[in-house]
Amino acid sequence: ETGVTQSPTHLIKTRGQQVTLRCSSQSGHNTVSWYQQALGQGPQFIFQYYREEENGRGNFPPRFSGLQFPNYSSELNVNALELDDSALYLCASSLAGTGVAFFGQGTRLTVV
Amino acid sequence: GDSVTQMEGPVTLSEEAFLTINCTYTATGYPSLFWYVQYPGEGLQLLLKATKADDKGSNKGFEATYRKETTSFHLEKGSVQVSDSAVYFCALSNRNNAGNMLTFGGGTRLMVKP
C-alpha cells in the first residue's frame, strides 16, 4: 500500500501571495487532516475533511481553506500569506473510527 | 480545551542508557494517547498508542502506560541507541472533538551519543 505523499516538498513565497499544497491519502483512508508545525514546536491542527466535507477546524483564520476530492486526496490553500505562515505543513490520513493517523513528510513553506 | 505537556529537551543520553520522557495531559472524556517520532527532515511516524486507562502501548523497545489517575503517558525505553535520536511528540485524540483531531505536546528532542 502507498503511504501519504505531499507536494511540493519545499517552496518559497512572497508575503501577500497565495499557495496551494497537495496531499495524497494512504490507500483506503477516507479522512484527511492538515497540521501546521512551526519550527521547534508541536503540530497545530488546521482542519479535517471527511468524505469531501470539512469535519472540524482549529484556531486558524478563514484564509486557510481546503478541499477533499472523491479519491480522498486533498488540498490546503492559504491566501494573503504572512511571514508567520512559514512552517512545515503536514497532511495526515486515517480511516474514520480507527483513531490512528498516518503522516506525510510535509511541505516546508517559507514566506519572505 | 485539551492540552498536552511534555518535558522540555534536549535530552542527551549515552548509548544503552535508560530513557524516560514525561507527558501529562488535560482532556475531557476518555482520550486515546499516542507517541509520535519525527526524524530529521521527515514527517511524523506513529510509535505507539493506548486507547484506555491502564493500557500499555509498546513498539521497538519503547513503551508507555495510560495512567488516568495521574493523567500521564510517560515514554520509556530500557536501552537507547544512537538511531533513536529524534524528536518525540506526545499527543491525544478525543472523541469529543472533530474526528481524529490530534492535540500535540511541544516535542522533546532526544540525542543519543555513542
Side-chain angles (χ1 to χ4, degrees), chain A residues 35 37 48 55 94 99-101, chain B residues 34 36 38 49 89 98 100 102:
Chain A
Y35 292 81
Q37 185 180 15
Q48 181 180 92
N55 185 38
S94 58
V100 178
Chain B
F34 305 84
Y36 281 85
Q38 187 173 37
K49 69 171 184 173
F89 292 95
N100 297 329
L102 289 163

Side-chain angles (χ1 to χ4, degrees), chain B:
Chain B
D2 297 345
S3 66
V4 176
T5 302
Q6 294 180 232
M7 62 188 289
E8 290 193 16
V11 173
T12 303
L13 296 173
S14 297
E15 207 164 23
E16 299 184 3
F18 183 85
L19 168 70
T20 300
I21 300 178
N22 290 336
C23 170
T24 57
Y25 68 90
T26 301
T28 56
Y30 302 94
S32 296
L33 302 175
F34 305 84
W35 278 99
Y36 281 85
V37 58
Q38 187 173 37
Y39 296 102
E42 299 186 11
L44 300 176
Q45 297 178 25
L46 177 65
L47 182 58
L48 53 85
K49 69 171 184 173
T51 58
K52 61 182 186 296
D54 300 325
D55 268 2
K56 177 184 284 188
S58 61
N59 186 26
K60 300 180 181 179
F62 291 90
E63 60 181 34
T65 301
Y66 190 144
R67 301 286 188 198
K68 190 165 177 63
E69 65 276 14
T70 55
T71 62
S72 65
F73 192 55
H74 304 322
L75 182 68
E76 296 181 336
K77 187 176 185 183
S79 176
V80 294
Q81 305 300 312
V82 172
S83 58
D84 294 327
S85 298
V87 181
Y88 291 81
F89 292 95
C90 184
L92 69 82
S93 175
N94 197 334
R95 290 188 182 84
N96 292 330
N97 298 329
N100 297 329
M101 168 190 163
L102 289 163
T103 300
F104 286 90
T108 302
R109 181 176 298 278
L110 170 65
M111 298 192 301
V112 181
K113 298 184 175 181

